[in-house]
Amino acid sequence: MLRFFSSRSVQVAILAAFFFAAVALLTRLPGWPLIDYRAFDYLSTIPDEPIAEGGPIVVAIDEPSLAEINVQWPWPRGLHAKLVSLLRAAGAKVIGLDIIFSEPSAPAEDEALAATLGPDVVLAGDETLVTSNQADQFIRVMPLQMFSDRQAPTGIASVGLHRDGVLRDMPDFVDGFAAVVATAAGIEVGLPEPGSLIQVFGGPRAYPTVSYYQALDPENFLPPGLFKDRIVIVGLSLQNAPSIDNGGADAFPTSHTIHDGKLLAGAEVQATIFDNLRLKNSIAEANRPMRQLLLLVAVVAAAVLIWKGTGWHTVAGGAVVIVVLFVGSYVTLRFGRVFLSPIAASLAFAGMTAAQAALDYAQERKSRRQIIRAFSQYLAPALVDQLARDPSKLKLGGEKRELSILFCDVRGFTTIAEQLKDDPQQLTMLINRLLTPLSDIVLSHGGTIDKYIGDCLMAFWNAPLHDPAHAAHAVAAALDMLDSMQALNDDLEAEAEAAGRTYYPLAIGIGINTGECVVGNMGSTSRFDYSALGDAVNLAARLESASKAYGVPLLLGERTAQAVDDIFAVFELDRITVKGKTEEVPVCTVLRETSEAARKVHREFLEARYRGDVATQQTLAQRLIDDVPALSAYHGQAL
């Protein structure tokens, strides 16, 4: 069962299911839509949507107008009557008064305003829902009946704010102020889908705006024909739009407020809603199935990205996918007029890839610790670090690979052990003193220590890390091991003399062979070692044992000799029959260097030996004993 869950495909599938479900549930929390709407604010306003031709003109009741008119607010309704008359005379198509006239004022002022009203003037109403513990009250405030009797239509100017206090929703009632203005202008507009969002066209004063006092004296302040055939909306619109921190009368934060912190005046809000209706620019929110589908696509994309593994490609690929999600949402919003938030999908994608990356990192750390623990006894520290940095170079399950195998054994160890049978501590010390430098030499040449078998050391090259020059490194290690024996014996002799102990000189024999082997973790399910098996291993052990018979400390197999022939001085010694072959194969020894003349004489000696020419062998052996002292024991066998 544990192995099943450790499978990467199962692990990725579980992560995908978890993040899909978790993010899907997260999006149902009451506060989540505010995160999506914040994304909408940016996507719908970068850059600002341009205002189309023929949009409304705003007549602003602003600070300059308050100063110029110099009358306490609310102004006399006769002043509004004068403005309506002047705008109508200037050719305004429809005049929207975003001012609520629900309470009577001076009768003469009310009559003056009523006299100017008609079907081309839209008045503002208001709707409010008052909630209490006892009951919910729906209150609608309408203009005075005397104004409505003049055939002036009324539009509800109320707008709804989201929980964060930002105006984003399109009014969803038929008699909305902007909708009534459009109808009065002869423009057919449909009711937007419930929950549709407003496309803003910039911040304060983005629409063409004139001050109220200027509209009262157009000849002196305004160009001719400014209002001809235009929609005019009159209302509060402070010239210095209040900030979101201070608030303000009939001013609202919109999607554009995140850029400048300014509120949008009510008259400009109505102009924006009017253009959304006129141009069908409002933005529908994607339904839940569409959002769930995008979430599923993001999870599947994350699964594909991390299926094989995580790394720098995950970071790059993840960045690309998240950019695609945001760009896709932007394109869908701007050209399809549908808002499909990328936040949930991006969160699921990033969370899933980050979670799998964390799991992979933990697994990599665990794998590194296992490699360091498993190979610190076999390999040099530099090679262990290399394996730990890149575990892919290691195949613990077993593989076939060409290796160079070295066996090293102590000559005459049985005799030494017999003499020290009553002093096991000295025997153990002696073996440790021998195997420590030999092991260090193997490791320094990039070898892997397979095992210690009593006084025998087995090592190999070209696994677990590839080593193209494995044969040369094995032979170089063997020569250094032989060279180290003199210094070791000198130390042991001095120590024995100082302690009054018997001195036991140490000598070693080495066999090296190169061939195909199976290498990997071998043993039981609970205890195993990284080891090598094969006929090539067996032959290396035979060569080590046979080296004594040839009077040399080092014996090489044929393939090892061929691999190092151009590096060291190789001397063929004999031909033997090995398991699996019917023909005899040569066995060789190697010296660091010797003269070519000596090697030529040795080849003549070997040819005489193979054809059974004893006299020639003896003659040449005398010369070779002097020319190649290191092989004197071997050549002396011919005498």
Side-chain angles (χ1 to χ4, degrees), residues 21-274:
V23 175
L25 290 174
L26 193 63
T27 58
R28 292 178 179 268
L29 294 177
W32 181 267
L34 299 183
I35 301 174
D36 286 337
Y37 288 140
R38 184 59 69 187
F40 169 80
D41 293 341
Y42 284 102
L43 293 173
S44 64
T45 57
I46 301 177
D48 286 328
E49 189 90 358
I51 296 176
E53 292 291 332
I57 295 177
V58 175
V59 174
I61 301 173
D62 53 11
E63 292 92 341
S65 298
L66 294 171
E68 288 290 331
I69 295 173
N70 198 24
V71 176
Q72 185 177 357
W73 181 263
W75 288 334
R77 289 173 181 172
L79 194 63
H80 298 311
K82 180 180 179 182
L83 176 68
V84 170
S85 298
L86 288 170
L87 291 174
R88 186 181 284 131
K93 192 172 185 179
V94 174
I95 303 164
L97 296 177
D98 187 16
I99 306 168
I100 297 178
F101 302 112
S102 60
E103 300 289 336
S105 66
E109 297 293 335
D110 290 345
E111 287 293 341
L113 177 59
T116 61
L117 299 180
D120 61 339
V121 179
V122 178
L123 302 177
D126 181 62
E127 284 185 354
T128 306
L129 179 63
V130 179
T131 303
S132 66
N133 294 331
Q134 291 75 28
D136 292 340
Q137 288 183 293
F138 183 76
I139 302 173
R140 172 171 278 212
V141 179
M142 301 296 285
L144 293 173
Q145 187 63 41
M146 66 181 296
F147 297 148
S148 301
D149 290 343
R150 297 304 179 102
Q151 298 183 339
T154 299
I156 303 301
S158 303
V159 292
L161 305 180
H162 282 160
R163 292 179 61 187
D164 58 351
V166 177
L167 171 63
R168 301 186 185 91
D169 278 343
M170 285 286 290
D172 57 359
F173 28 80
V174 179
D175 57 346
F177 183 82
V180 173
V181 170
T183 302
I187 301 172
E188 292 187 8
V189 294
L191 194 66
E193 293 184 21
S196 291
L197 303 172
I198 297 173
Q199 172 64 66
V200 297
F201 301 97
R205 299 301 171 100
Y207 276 91
T209 302
V210 299
S211 291
Y212 192 102
Y213 81 91
Q214 294 174 329
L216 289 176
D217 189 7
E219 293 182 0
N220 291 323
F221 291 107
L222 302 176
L226 177 65
F227 296 113
K228 185 171 179 58
D229 295 326
R230 300 293 295 273
I231 306 296
V232 180
I233 296 178
V234 182
L236 286 171
S237 180
L238 299 177
Q239 186 172 1
N240 295 317
S243 70
I244 192 170
D245 296 326
N246 300 325
D250 197 27
F252 309 92
T254 66
S255 293
H256 195 274
T257 303
I258 56 173
H259 298 296
D260 55 19
K262 299 293 185 180
L263 307 183
L264 196 64
E268 294 176 272
V269 167
Q270 297 300 334
T272 302
I273 295 172
F274 174 85

Side-chain angles (χ1 to χ4, degrees), residues 268-440:
E268 294 176 272
V269 167
Q270 297 300 334
T272 302
I273 295 172
F274 174 85
D275 269 349
N276 273 253
L277 293 170
R278 176 174 72 97
L279 303 172
K280 295 180 172 55
N281 257 10
S282 63
I283 299 163
E285 279 197 79
N287 56 31
R288 186 171 295 279
M290 288 182 64
R291 297 197 297 270
Q292 301 286 41
L293 178 60
L294 181 62
L295 180 60
L296 179 62
V297 169
V299 167
V300 170
V304 171
L305 183 64
I306 65 178
W307 193 266
K308 300 258 182 184
T310 55
W312 287 111
H313 75 279
T314 312
V315 177
V320 169
V321 170
I322 290 176
V323 168
V324 167
L325 287 172
F326 274 83
V327 170
S329 179
Y330 178 85
V331 170
T332 303
L333 186 150
R334 286 304 180 101
F335 300 100
R337 312 313 297 174
V338 175
F339 173 54
L340 182 57
S341 174
I343 300 298
S346 298
L347 176 63
F349 179 89
M352 184 173 167
T353 52
Q356 185 61 57
L359 289 174
D360 288 347
Y361 177 76
Q363 182 60 39
E364 181 185 355
R365 296 285 296 179
K366 180 180 177 181
S367 176
R368 285 188 178 187
R369 288 194 299 269
Q370 289 176 337
I371 288 172
I372 292 172
R373 185 168 58 249
F375 286 92
S376 59
Q377 299 179 29
Y378 309 148
L379 295 173
L383 296 181
V384 175
D385 290 342
Q386 189 176 347
L387 268 182
R389 286 194 302 270
D390 188 5
S392 63
K393 295 180 178 180
L394 178 65
K395 292 185 179 179
L396 293 176
E399 61 177 323
K400 183 176 283 189
R401 188 181 289 190
E402 183 181 75
L403 304 180
S404 289
I405 308 100
L406 177 150
F407 275 85
C408 173
D409 196 11
V410 179
R411 292 278 185 264
F413 181 72
T414 303
T415 303
I416 297 174
E418 180 64 25
Q419 293 174 344
L420 293 176
K421 63 182 179 180
D422 296 328
D423 192 354
Q425 290 185 344
Q426 185 181 354
L427 179 62
T428 303
M429 180 275 295
L430 195 63
I431 291 300
N432 291 341
R433 288 290 302 275
L434 171 66
L435 294 180
T436 297
L438 298 183
S439 300
D440 290 343

